[in-house]
Amino acid sequence: MLMSQVTSAEPAVAIAVPVVARQVTVRIFAADATGSGAIVRHRGETYTILTCAHIVGEGEDERFTILTADGQKHVGKRLRSPVLSGSDLALVEFTSKTAYQVVAIADTKAVAVGDSIYAAGFPNWQWTSADAVEDTRTWGIKALRVTDGEVAMLPEKSLQEGYQLGYTNEIDPGMSGGPVLNRKGQLIGINGRLKYPPQGISAFTFTDGSAPSEQMYQQMEALSWAIPATAFWQALK
């Protein structure tokens, strides 16, 4: 079951993008966290997942459980890449004889404020009724959520850890590491930061150490934030 909140004036797009999201989004179970990821590369029987570093941690020998769209579980291990150093991104690999869909990566130069986008991932809990919340970590792939929205901010300077894509979509804990897709189902970013972070304005420090103005901060805190494809394109190449 695909739990989608997508609404669009173009039904064909609204249907197609959640289908792509379901195929390319994986669930990651780590020792201390649960998150999401996107399948970005396939070589032989080896698949590479892009996710957030804060999901997989820094352990050298830690193994992860990867849940794919067919409900199968795989053993994943972190792939180190110096290109991703300093960003909240990580690569995880797993092997399988089964063929899985790899997400296409968009030309991020074409991303603009106002573009319709879709954010996918596996929230750790979901509302099952008006007054009941249920833990989804035993739901498997049934917990997948796809939300619609639009690009709202593309600041000239990147925030710390590579965050530079602000968008209106709702994302919840557990969706970090999941893909942000354009209307063609192409990857433009990786979910990572939720709206209204408890750290306040300190969560929006730029890489040069400066802080946004109060007016800019009020706009930024009302958005979810992703790391755009430009931050990981070179690592995948």
Side-chain angles (χ1 to χ4, degrees), residues 31 54 69 75 90 99 154 160 201 215:
H54 73 259
V75 176
L154 293 167
Q160 291 180 345
I201 196 170
Q215 181 179 8

Side-chain angles (χ1 to χ4, degrees), residues 4 21 30 33 59 83 112 129 135 140 142 172 174 177 180 206 218 222:
S4 173
V83 179
S129 68
D135 189 318
K142 293 180 180 180
D172 293 308
V180 179
F206 294 106
Q218 291 178 5

Side-chain angles (χ1 to χ4, degrees), residues 4-6 117-120 145-149 169-171 175:
S4 173
Q5 294 189 345
V6 174
I117 58 171
Y118 304 85
R145 185 180 184 210
V146 182
T147 64
D148 70 335
N169 306 55
E170 296 292 337
I171 62 171
M175 294 178 70

Side-chain angles (χ1 to χ4, degrees), residues 12-224:
V13 173
I15 293 172
V17 178
V19 170
V20 172
R22 182 180 183 184
Q23 294 171 337
V24 304
T25 307
V26 301
R27 196 166 197 180
I28 301 175
F29 295 91
D32 300 317
T34 303
S36 306
I39 301 176
V40 293
R41 186 168 60 197
H42 174 212
R43 291 180 178 175
E45 295 181 355
T46 300
Y47 289 87
T48 303
I49 296 165
L50 187 63
T51 186
C52 285
H54 73 259
I55 298 298
V56 297
E58 296 296 332
E60 292 290 337
D61 300 318
E62 187 173 355
R63 295 292 185 267
F64 312 98
T65 298
I66 308 299
L67 186 66
T68 46
D70 57 358
Q72 296 299 309
K73 294 181 179 180
H74 312 269
V75 176
K77 64 178 181 179
R78 186 167 181 173
L79 176 65
R80 298 289 172 174
S81 172
V83 179
L84 298 180
S85 178
S87 72
D88 188 19
L89 288 174
L91 297 173
V92 175
E93 288 187 340
F94 72 94
T95 59
S96 176
K97 296 182 183 297
T98 303
Y100 293 108
Q101 182 68 40
V102 176
V103 68
I105 299 177
D107 177 3
T108 52
K109 294 180 181 179
V111 178
V113 171
D115 285 354
S116 297
I117 58 171
Y118 304 85
F122 294 91
N124 291 335
W125 54 82
Q126 289 197 26
W127 290 93
T128 54
S129 68
D131 56 0
V133 177
E134 187 170 339
D135 189 318
T136 72
R137 281 171 283 194
T138 60
W139 289 17
I141 61 172
K142 293 180 180 180
L144 181 66
R145 185 180 184 210
V146 182
T147 64
D148 70 335
E150 63 180 37
V151 177
M153 290 189 73
L154 293 167
E156 293 183 3
K157 296 186 295 184
S158 172
L159 296 170
Q160 291 180 345
E161 298 186 309
Y163 289 95
Q164 202 171 0
L165 173 60
Y167 50 109
T168 62
N169 306 55
E170 296 292 337
I171 62 171
D172 293 308
M175 294 178 70
S176 290
V180 179
L181 306 170
N182 63 16
R183 292 169 61 253
K184 296 180 180 179
Q186 300 169 326
L187 184 68
I188 64 169
I190 294 293
N191 294 316
R193 292 187 179 178
L194 281 61
K195 297 178 180 181
Y196 299 103
Q199 306 94 319
I201 196 170
S202 64
F204 298 98
T205 303
F206 294 106
T207 52
D208 63 3
S210 63
S213 65
E214 181 63 27
Q215 181 179 8
M216 186 177 187
Y217 161 63
Q218 291 178 5
Q219 295 174 330
M220 297 174 84
E221 70 166 349
L223 301 174
S224 301

